[in-house]
Amino acid sequence: MIAIRVGVVVFVASVFQVAVFSGWQLLGGFPDVLLVTVVSVALLRGAVAGALAGFAGGLIVDTATLGTLGVTSLLLAIAGINTPAVFLAGW
């Protein structure tokens, strides 16, 4: 049941990232709601859940934007798997 909730949250964040937040510019940068979602999942559910959420969300974003398939997936999966380790290390 929790996996379904996480999946829905990641899907909604991916769709909002592509549809809404891709056109916004704030202080010279673009908000990345999907990265915040992946980091939150990784901190709350662990490194494996964060990596899976990052990969799935990145795959949705890559598919929707017709970008290079797998680049965003790889970066968000790395962020999801490294977040708990960095947090626990006290950085």
Side-chain angles (χ1 to χ4, degrees):
M1 189 66 172
I2 293 175
I4 294 172
R5 284 189 219 162
V6 170
V8 169
V9 167
V10 169
F11 180 76
V12 169
S14 301
V15 170
F16 270 87
Q17 180 69 38
V18 172
V20 177
F21 294 114
S22 63
W24 291 9
Q25 189 171 8
L26 183 65
L27 300 174
F30 297 97
D32 197 351
V33 177
L34 185 56
L35 179 63
V36 173
T37 305
V38 168
V39 168
S40 299
V41 168
L43 287 175
L44 293 174
R45 298 289 169 209
V48 175
L52 290 174
F55 184 77
L59 197 60
I60 293 169
V61 169
D62 284 340
T63 305
T65 60
L66 300 176
T68 304
L69 194 63
V71 174
T72 308
S73 302
L74 178 65
L75 293 175
L76 288 174
I78 289 172
I81 205 163
N82 285 332
T83 297
V86 170
F87 181 74
L88 292 175
W91 288 17

